[in-house]
Structure formats: C-alpha cells, structure tokens
Amino acid sequence: MDLEHGKCWDSSKKDSWKTILILAYQSLGVVYGDLGISPLYVYKSTFAEDIQHSNTNEEIFGALSFVFWTLTLVPLFKYVFIVLRADDNGEGGTFALYSSICRHAKVSLLPNRQAADEALSTYKLEQPPEKNSSRVKMYLEKHKFLHTALLILVLLGTCMVIGDGLLTPAISVFSAVSGLEFFMSKEHHQYAVIPITCFIIVCLFALQHYGTHRVGFLFAPVVLIWLLCISALGLYNIIHWNSHVYQALSPYYMFKFLKKTRKRGWMSLGGILLCITGSEAMFADLGHFSYAAIQIAFTFLVYPALILAYMGQAAYLSKHHETNYQISFFVSVPESVRWPVLVVAILASIVGSQAIISGTFSIINQSQSLGCFPRVKVVHTSDKIHGQIYIPEINWVLMILCIAVTIGFRDTKHIGNASGLAVMTVMLVTTCLTALVIILCWHKPPILALCFLLFFGSIELLYFSASLTKFREGAWLPILLALFLTTIMFVWHYATIKKYEFDLHNKVSLEWLLALGPSLGIARVPGIGLVFTDLTSGIPANFSRFVTNLPAFHRILVFVCVKSVPVPHVPPAERYLVGRVGPAAHRSYRCIVRYGYRDVHQDVDSFESELVDRLADFICYDWYKTDRTNLYTDDAVTSRSNESTSDGRLAVIGTVSLSGAPAYEIEETLQPANVSGGFTSVESVTDVIEMEPVRAVQRRVRFAIDDQSDTDAQSEINLQSQQELEDLFAAQQAGTAFILGHSHVRAKQGSSLLKRLAINFGYNFLRRNCRGPDVALKVPPVSLLEVGMVYVV
C-alpha cells in the first residue's frame, strides 16, 4: 500500500478490474471473517431459551425470514449502497464520519485549529462553507452543548467497537470448538471446551505482535474455503431435506413468527441480530480496500453464501424437530464431513477474531491521535501496508478480559447477548452520524436524512430493545465496559482541552523572548533546543519556567507543535509548517508537524534529523524570497537580519526531492488568509508534484538549489543565509535537547466534586500510569529535559 497516499487501489485503467478483483479476494480475510462465521451461533442463540422449535416449523421459518431481511436491509442496502459512500478520503469508520462532519460544520472540540489546515489537499469539501448554510448546520454550530453531545456519541460508538473486539473472539472460537460435542461424551465435552477455547484465544493474542501481514496470506483462502463450505452444505440440506424452504423468505413468516411467539419472539431477536455482526467492518476497513472491491465481495460471494447457509440449516431443522443435541450449526453437517468442517470452522473463527482485534487496535490509535485516549505504545508491524498496528497494553488487557468472559459466561447465549448489544449500538451510532453526513456533507434535503434515520434506525432500535431485555443475561457487560471506557476517554479529552486553554492564557509575548540576552544574565549555549508545546503561536509557559530556573537556552531554538488535523492522512509534502520567531538573527523558529488520525506519527527514522532538514529548506526558501522581494534594495540583507518579524508567517515545507536536488514550488496567496492564533498570513511551499493549488488567485515561483555548484548557490542565497545554515548544522553537531513539560493538573478551588474527582484523581492517575509524551515522541533519555508545570483548570 502506498503510505504517502493512504490508498492501495490506485492503478491504471488497463488493470483496474484485475486490481479490484484482487482486492475483493483479499478483503475476504480482513473484512468478512466475523460476518462469515455468524452461522455458527445465530440459530443456537435464537433458540437458546425464549422460544422452542415446534412441529409447525413457524419458529424456524420465521427466524429464517428475519435473518434474510436483516442481512438484506442492513449489510446490503445500508452499508454497501449508502454508508460506504460516506467515506473520508477513502477512509471509513466512526472517526471518518466525525471527521467529515467537523470539516463541514464548526463542531470540533479539537484544540489548536488553524485556517492553514484547510489548505491541505486532503481537506476537501463538497461545497464552499458559505454555500452550505442549512438550518441543521447553523443549529449545530450555535449550541455548544451539541458539540459535546456529538463527541460523546462518537466515543460511545468507539467504546462499543472495543467491546466487540473483546466479545467476538470469545463467541466465535467458543462456538467453533463446541462442535467437539459430536465427537466425545457429554461429560468429557463439558470439561474440554472451555480449556481448548482459552488455549486458542491465548495463542491468537500471543501472535498479534507478528502483525497481520505475516500470516495474512492464509486469511483470505480460509474464509473463501469456509464460505464455499457453508454454501455447499446449505445447497445439500435444501435439496436433500426441504426444497421448499425458499418460501420462508417471504415477510409473511416474520408476521406469523411474532404472532405466535409474541413477547418471547421479540426477546429472541437478540439472537437473530448476530447474523449481522461484522457488518461494520465493511465500512471501518474501507481504507485498506476500495468501495468497488468490498461491494463486489459482499454482493456476489458473502451475501449468497450466508443466505444459502441459513436456508440449509432451516431446511434440515424443518425435518428434525427432536435432536439429541441443542440446535447448532454442526447438527446440520453430515457425519462424513464433520471433522473437516470443524477444522475449517475453528480456522475461520480465528480469522474473524483476528480482524476485529486489528480493528480495535486501529480505532484506539485514532482515538489517541485525536486526544481522546491515554497514550499507549503503537507498534507498526508492516512497513509496506498502511494501518497494520499492534498495541501491546491493549492486546494483553483484551486477552485477559476475553478469557474471563469465556470462563465466566461458559455458553453462547450470554456471550451472544453481550455481543449483540455492542453491535447494535455501533450501528445506531453509524446511522445517526450518516444522517448528519447526508445533510452537512452531501447537502441533501433534511427530509432525506430523516427518512434514512427513521427507516434503518427503527430496524436497529427493534433489535437494540430486544438485546436490552437481556441485561441480566450478559448484555450488562458491554454497557458497563462502555461506561467505563467512555468516562476514561471523555476525562482525558476534557483535561487535554483545559490544559491547552491554560497554556493559551499563560503564554509569553514575543517581546519577552527577544529581550532575553546577556544584559539579563541569559546565555546562549551551543546546540539545538526543541521546545514541545501544543500552542501554534506565542511562547509557551513551560519555556519561560525553564529560562527562569536555568538562565540559558540553546543557540538554535525551535518551538515544535505536533498536532492532529481532522483528515485521515496528511501528505508528507504538506506535513511541516515552518516559520521564524523573531528576526533571523535570533535563530528561533516555529515548526508545526501535522498528522491525520490514520497517519503513522513516527514515520521517519530520526525526527531530529528530519526537522533539521526541513529547517534548512525553510532557511533557503526564506532568504531566496527576501532576495527576490528586495532585488533592487541595497540594504536587503541588513534589513532581513535585524527586522523584528512577528510570530505568524509560516511556510509548508515538502519532504521529497527531485533529481537529487531539493525542488520547490511556492504558492503565495495574494489575499492573506486569517489564521487562528494571531497568524497574519499563510504561504505554501511544496514539492512540485505533491500539492494541488488551494486558492483561486496565486503567484507561482519555481527554483532549485544545486549544492554542487558554489557559484550557483551564492547567486541564489546570500552570505547571511549561508551563515544561518552553518549555524544550524553546527548546532546539530553540538547536540539536541528535547524540552518537554512534566505536568500536574489540579482542579480550581470551588470546582464541583465531580470535576475534582475527574481531574485530581482520574486524569492524574491515567497520566502517571500511561506512557509519557517522551515515549510517544521517541525522545532519547539522555537528551530529555523536563520542566515541571502545574495546571490549574
């Protein structure tokens, strides 16, 4: 996959169909593992307790009708034909919907936003903001409490995805291993299933650090074999036992089912909804494949295979009303092929579990990027395939909880109740967010979004209510887990916002920095000082605290802000915003490093070396622009060196060089753009082939620097720029210090008891026991300088 573009389906028209078919095949192992193994436990969960299979077959035919129409309406119509189109630059999932909404309406709670972010090539809008002035948008932007409510809704959906990552391995592996009951006595089976299930779960989580790409070549064939297997078994059972089972697809049988079973039938819907577990993965994993690939794989292979499997089971059960075993998938499998089917089922359950575990890692990484989750270690397991990550802490916590769920519940019914509630909550969140996307991003009439919300929302609410009735029978687990995780994520996000507001109100003026010098006893020592801050303008308070206690700072001073923007990917050529802080002679700079919520934050071998290269590129560009601007001014160099420039003019510095020499394309907006934080204008410097123009009227200048020719270099860059570059590289040789704030957050006096508990105990406990910013930024311990800061919020 192309890491720079974040998509893996770019290809020429000549082999586009070939590429799509290959991606459709690969998507089987990643996207459809969870959805494909649902026949293992749907009927077993449905007929677990609430209803019984009778001689009239009304129950089994009604369940089949519900399964057919649920699979048709939700995964096929809702996801394949509607929700998949609500992508965010090719990315899908809860945060993709939220990101699109935040770009089209001012509802984001993310700090340090800048108008410069809107110039990103991936920050594309369907229409200019001034043309999108619907009443829904204005109402959302006007009421601040709706911004918080929207974030909580997104966090709730995120937590339920994490809950699904905990429950899916338990129910899928347990259901597959339960097939051993046909090969051993009841006494042995009772004591063998749980240990075998736990052993497989431990092995599954223990292999996560190798990465999906190491064993991924096995995934698609296993799921393909499984889908072909259940299709063949379904056809065999239909032909051999009841060829008229297709009549049960009529909606009339749903009516008969509810009429006969009444409340018990409604409660049994909590088992039927398990047939669509894994549907969310089609949208969540959209960034790894393409819309056409996922659509083709589901429509022409997965959907028919699942329908045949459920019809086959119903056909068998319609002729077998009394069996020695409970209703399960393996009852309908002929004895001659039960062993091979059992082996394939166990492998397929492992693949399905692997997919949801990887999805859990991905969504936690996105939450962390947007400041909604405590810092955890993220290991990227593949250099070629974007998005394949491993989070050790989350992996082992999930493994322990998954084993605890398996041992604690010990049956498919309770685990299915818990999993069903988590799945329906995620789908309800997706439905609500998609309705907002239809209005805000697609600019469709609100009545269309309301119809979408009412139609699919009513179906999902029906299943959600059925799951909620099983609160005491397992459904309490995802609710408890979601409340716990949502509280953690919201407290972390709230404290992060308050810390930023504290820094914003306590930042130091530029004049204070420029006044620091020998007259005040302040020394400039050799080396580079990288001061990390969340501010995009001004001097952070932690630096003033540093200078107050240690009256010295480095010869080269760089204020670094690593921030996330509401786009999935920021192209490397647009990642660095670089500018001066004060005049050129002061040797102080500001560097804003921008990442999308799906980007790899440490995608370079040495952040320090990369940053110095970008500063060198900026110095070359800045002096070149000065020479061109002051071409007929005799004192151009002197005025540039001594002028007291404000902290505000930034340039986008690219990271790709062409033909061995850095090449630049300067795109300067003639009308300055207003930027939050006091920026007066934004100027863009990009690689020639990397960035699209973002303004209607622009002036383009192209130049290249040839380091091999001193004469050409002197003609383009004057003596002062050469001196500045020499100072920069000399400071790099002298060493680099990373200056970070070591914060302690305390609630204001007079704050409510809830706020004091959340900030003084909750947030500080998480901060002390999670990874610090130095680990996230890969700061060498010998180069780390921490400045103690107390935040009163």
Side-chain angles (χ1 to χ4, degrees), residues 424-712:
M424 292 318 303
T425 305
V426 176
M427 290 187 174
L428 277 170
V429 170
T430 299
T431 300
C432 295
L433 294 178
T434 304
L436 287 177
V437 168
I438 291 173
I439 300 174
L440 301 176
C441 306
W442 296 352
H443 314 295
K444 302 296 182 183
I447 187 65
L448 191 64
L450 183 62
C451 291
F452 173 85
L453 182 63
L454 290 178
F455 181 74
F456 292 107
S458 59
I459 296 173
E460 291 159 0
L461 275 176
L462 175 66
Y463 284 118
F464 180 80
S465 62
S467 295
L468 209 55
T469 60
K470 304 297 182 65
F471 179 83
R472 299 177 60 184
E473 300 172 4
W476 58 267
L477 180 61
I479 295 177
L480 181 64
L481 184 65
L483 288 176
F484 178 72
L485 289 176
T486 302
T487 301
I488 289 178
M489 295 170 76
F490 187 76
V491 166
W492 186 269
H493 183 77
Y494 176 80
T496 301
I497 296 294
K498 290 300 180 182
K499 282 178 59 181
Y500 175 76
E501 292 176 353
F502 182 90
D503 282 337
L504 198 61
H505 291 125
N506 291 276
K507 66 181 181 180
V508 184
S509 65
L510 176 62
E511 288 71 20
W512 175 86
L513 176 66
L514 299 179
L516 298 177
S519 60
L520 298 179
I522 307 295
R524 300 290 293 267
V525 296
I528 300 177
L530 302 182
V531 183
F532 285 86
T533 174
D534 291 330
L535 298 177
T536 56
S537 66
I539 311 303
N542 64 344
F543 179 71
S544 64
R545 178 73 60 86
F546 172 78
V547 175
T548 301
N549 290 275
L550 183 65
F553 60 94
H554 297 83
R555 187 70 186 89
I556 301 295
L557 189 64
V558 186
F559 296 97
V560 181
C561 173
V562 180
K563 57 177 284 189
S564 294
V565 291
V567 295
H569 304 285
V570 175
E574 304 171 49
R575 178 153 297 156
Y576 291 86
L577 270 173
V578 186
R580 294 188 185 278
V581 178
H586 199 269
R587 301 297 192 258
S588 297
Y589 310 91
R590 182 176 307 281
C591 181
I592 300 173
V593 189
R594 303 178 293 183
Y595 290 98
Y597 57 83
R598 293 292 299 268
D599 276 330
V600 181
H601 274 231
Q602 292 297 328
D603 54 354
V604 292
D605 294 333
S606 174
F607 177 76
E608 171 194 349
S609 301
E610 182 73 17
L611 186 61
V612 170
D613 291 342
R614 300 289 74 77
L615 287 174
D617 293 342
F618 169 77
I619 292 169
C620 295
Y621 155 67
D622 194 50
W623 281 103
Y624 173 82
K625 187 189 68 172
T626 303
D627 290 343
R628 295 297 298 265
T629 304
N630 301 287
L631 187 61
Y632 302 104
T633 304
D634 294 335
D635 58 346
V637 174
T638 305
S639 63
R640 183 59 179 163
S641 299
N642 298 322
E643 65 178 351
S644 182
T645 56
S646 62
D647 177 20
R649 300 178 68 86
L650 299 172
V652 180
I653 302 298
T655 59
V656 180
S657 60
L658 304 177
S659 302
Y664 305 90
E665 181 174 333
I666 300 101
E667 300 175 354
E668 185 175 357
T669 306
L670 297 182
Q671 295 181 351
N674 292 326
V675 183
S676 61
F679 295 125
T680 56
S681 67
V682 179
E683 300 164 10
S684 299
V685 182
T686 67
D687 296 300
V688 177
I689 62 172
E690 289 293 333
M691 189 176 180
E692 297 291 334
V694 295
R695 299 288 188 233
V697 182
Q698 293 176 329
R699 176 169 60 85
R700 294 169 178 254
V701 182
R702 181 179 297 179
F703 70 96
I705 303 168
D706 188 357
D707 294 334
Q708 298 178 356
S709 174
D710 293 335
T711 304
D712 294 339

Side-chain angles (χ1 to χ4, degrees), residues 8-208:
C8 61
W9 58 85
D10 290 334
S11 61
S12 62
K13 294 182 179 179
K14 181 178 179 180
D15 60 352
S16 60
W17 275 107
K18 177 182 177 182
T19 303
I20 290 174
L21 292 176
I22 291 175
L23 287 171
Y25 168 74
Q26 293 175 344
S27 70
L28 295 176
V30 177
V31 178
Y32 299 110
D34 189 12
L35 187 62
I37 59 177
S38 57
L40 286 173
Y41 44 78
V42 169
Y43 285 148
K44 187 173 183 178
S45 298
T46 302
F47 294 93
E49 184 176 290
D50 298 310
I51 58 175
Q52 300 296 325
H53 178 36
S54 66
N55 294 331
T56 62
N57 288 325
E58 291 180 347
E59 293 87 358
I60 190 64
F61 287 167
L64 173 61
S65 185
F66 266 105
V67 167
F68 171 76
W69 287 105
T70 303
L71 278 171
T72 303
L73 293 176
V74 178
L76 186 62
F77 286 171
K78 176 190 169 182
Y79 279 95
V80 170
F81 292 113
I82 300 177
V83 176
L84 285 182
R85 296 184 181 274
D87 66 294
D88 182 16
N89 290 282
E91 296 291 338
T94 305
F95 277 109
L97 294 171
Y98 182 63
S99 174
S100 297
I101 293 170
C102 289
R103 291 207 305 274
H104 288 82
K106 298 178 182 178
V107 296
S108 175
L109 295 178
L110 282 176
N112 57 35
R113 288 171 290 169
Q114 300 171 271
D117 299 336
E118 299 179 14
L120 290 168
S121 59
T122 50
Y123 199 105
K124 59 183 181 181
L125 303 177
E126 299 293 335
Q127 292 181 8
E130 60 271 11
K131 293 185 180 181
N132 179 22
S133 56
S134 66
R135 291 183 180 181
V136 175
K137 176 185 175 183
M138 292 187 291
Y139 187 81
L140 280 174
E141 293 179 344
K142 180 180 179 181
H143 296 84
K144 300 297 182 182
F145 77 93
L146 291 177
H147 304 178
T148 304
L150 183 62
L151 177 65
I152 292 176
L153 181 68
V154 172
L155 295 182
L156 179 63
T158 301
C159 294
M160 285 299 184
V161 172
I162 298 173
D164 195 22
L166 158 68
L167 296 166
T168 294
I171 188 173
S172 58
V173 176
F174 186 87
S175 299
V177 175
S178 295
L180 291 172
E181 65 182 335
F182 295 94
F183 304 101
M184 59 179 62
S185 63
K186 186 176 181 180
E187 292 76 15
H188 291 101
H189 175 263
Q190 181 179 358
Y191 296 103
V193 171
I194 298 297
I196 294 175
T197 301
C198 292
F199 174 76
I200 293 176
I201 290 174
V202 169
C203 293
L204 174 64
F205 282 96
L207 293 173
Q208 292 300 314

Side-chain angles (χ1 to χ4, degrees), residues 340-352:
V341 172
L342 175 64
V343 173
V344 176
I346 293 176
L347 292 176
S349 68
I350 293 174
V351 171

